[in-house]
Amino acid sequence: MWVGALLVFLCAASVRAESDIELLNATLVAKFHFAEVARDGQMVGAYQVSFRNNGDTPVRTISLLLNPGLQFDKVVGPGGKTLKLTSRVTPVTGMRPLELNVAELTLPKSLRKGESRLEIVVHYRGYLEDLSVTFPGLEDIKETLSPDFTMIRSGSFGYPVFSAPEQNAIIKAWDHKPFYQVAFLDIPGTNTIVGNLDVARKTTNGEITTFEMKSERPTGLMTLAIGPYQIQQQRFVTTATLGQPIDLIAGIAGDIEKRATQLQSTIGGRTVRKALKVVELPDGFAAPYERGLLFVQPNREDPFPRIPHLGDRSRAAVVMGTAFGLWQINPTNEFEHWASGLDGALFALLWVEPSSLSAMVNKEFPNWQAYFSGNPEVAESALVEFPSMQEDFMMSRASILAFLALHELLGSDDFFALVRGLRAELSVGYADMQSVADYLDQNIENKKARKFAKNWFQKGRIGKDMAKAESFEELVALYR
């Protein structure tokens, strides 16, 4: 049940899903009119976004995608200048018969790599067309501007998505790395909003409520559910249900509270201060997984979203994966991040049965040996040197193995005491692998364990140790 969850840390392939255009921050200002008939529902929006070019090729034109029921009005650039814009509803390559409103925007000048950011405001209006009937992969993207329930998200193209009208480009755009986002939404009636942005403030003027939504930290593309939600708050979890309380959601919230309490006592304070949200979705809708946000469909046999890298979607696996997200130091699983190995090792130690974990590590051990024997320069390098060698993925895997070995050498009590201190010292502010190496050298009292940490993190002994051992147990035994 745990294999899929651990593969991201132990044997996944490095996949970069970022376009050359990097979004830095965005603000959506929108007014809604809901209606039972899709075309009668209307919205007016302005999407202010700043971005830069991370690619080697200068960019002069960019593509923006909207729901086919929405129309581009204009795009305003620096100095209030209206930019050149052409748009039309056209089929999406690789996703036919899906059609989207595709705009080609000409920038004021070519945007080169490393240049300062550019800010634009995209003005648009119209209705949301149900996309579930046009493409087999979007069966659950059925939102319209309904008074009962709707969603504003990238999957329905309810706001501009920076992407070419091609399937692979859209998938990359949906997986854009987290950035800061704000929304000011005028909602008629008594509905409320839950999503990966938090309600910072709401004001009511007659029949219209304005919700000011903000991301506490960089987050994935905006996903906001609008409906008659009933909100209940606990210590670690906030539940949002549509109407009557639901046993499944209450049970999941209780399970997460228990798991979160255990994590708090075992590895220290969480990295995300806000509560995790468990949100009901009505039948027929689905939403992407978001860190800190778990959508649940109570009436489905399989009620959970497809959490990336979590092969097992049992309730226990989803609860652990969701709860652990609040404690991850490296939430976006960037391999070059100093904490990628620590997060991976902790997830394994706290979730996988010890005997199963040993079997998993030993299964991968020959692959790691083969890599180091075939890459002598890497094998002779310390973990602190890996980032400069552009060996980010192997650094992550070797770091995981190092922390798992330290657990075996120190024992659980001393290891988790070390981890609590390391997380408290390094998880806030700047840190790198050298900071980790220095902390381990200064705070490990066991001489053999300290020697292991120094050999792997600072002296470049990884390859030599891997060559001597035929299994994880034998690797640990080298330092007993």
Side-chain angles (χ1 to χ4, degrees), residues 338 384 426 430-438:
W338 69 267
V384 297
L426 302 184
Y430 175 78
D432 56 14
M433 193 58 78
Q434 184 62 57
S435 303
V436 177
D438 292 341

Side-chain angles (χ1 to χ4, degrees), residues 216-217 236 263-264 267-274 291 323-332 337-339 342-343 346 423-424 426-428:
E216 174 191 88
R217 59 190 296 159
F236 295 107
L263 288 168
Q264 183 91 348
I267 62 176
R270 50 186 165 150
T271 55
V272 178
R273 303 312 307 170
K274 65 181 181 180
R291 181 172 182 251
F324 189 76
L326 299 179
W327 271 264
Q328 272 187 271
I329 300 174
N330 175 29
T332 55
H337 195 289
W338 69 267
L342 177 61
D343 283 345
L346 289 176
R423 284 169 52 86
L426 302 184
S427 64
V428 178

Side-chain angles (χ1 to χ4, degrees), residues 34-38 128-130 142-146 149-151 285:
F34 298 124
E36 297 291 347
V37 178
L128 283 185
E129 184 174 304
D130 180 354
K142 58 185 295 183
E143 47 261 29
T144 61
L145 295 173
S146 166
F149 178 83
T150 194
M151 296 187 76
F285 289 88

Side-chain angles (χ1 to χ4, degrees), residues 94-98 131-141 167:
M95 300 179 76
R96 295 173 183 267
L98 175 67
L131 300 184
S132 67
V133 298
T134 60
F135 180 68
L138 300 177
E139 292 93 344
D140 297 323
I141 311 297
Q167 183 175 24

Side-chain angles (χ1 to χ4, degrees), residues 4 83 176 182 235 363 394 403 445:
L83 304 182
H176 192 281
V182 177
R235 182 184 181 191
K363 183 179 179 180
M394 284 311 301
F403 281 109
E445 295 183 2

Side-chain angles (χ1 to χ4, degrees), residues 362 365-366 369 465-475:
N362 283 328
F365 206 84
Q369 282 184 314
D465 287 348
M466 293 291 286
K468 292 179 181 179
E470 293 299 325
S471 66
F472 177 64
E473 288 84 356
E474 290 187 17
L475 174 65

Side-chain angles (χ1 to χ4, degrees), residues 29-33 42-46 126 145 184-188 208:
V29 180
K31 297 181 179 182
F32 297 91
H33 170 73
Q42 296 290 308
M43 68 176 290
V44 178
L145 295 173
F184 296 88
L185 306 180
D186 285 355
I187 304 294
I208 303 297

Side-chain angles (χ1 to χ4, degrees), residues 351-369:
W351 174 231
V352 181
E353 292 292 332
S355 58
S356 299
L357 177 60
S358 178
M360 182 71 178
V361 176
N362 283 328
K363 183 179 179 180
E364 287 298 307
F365 206 84
N367 296 330
W368 297 350
Q369 282 184 314

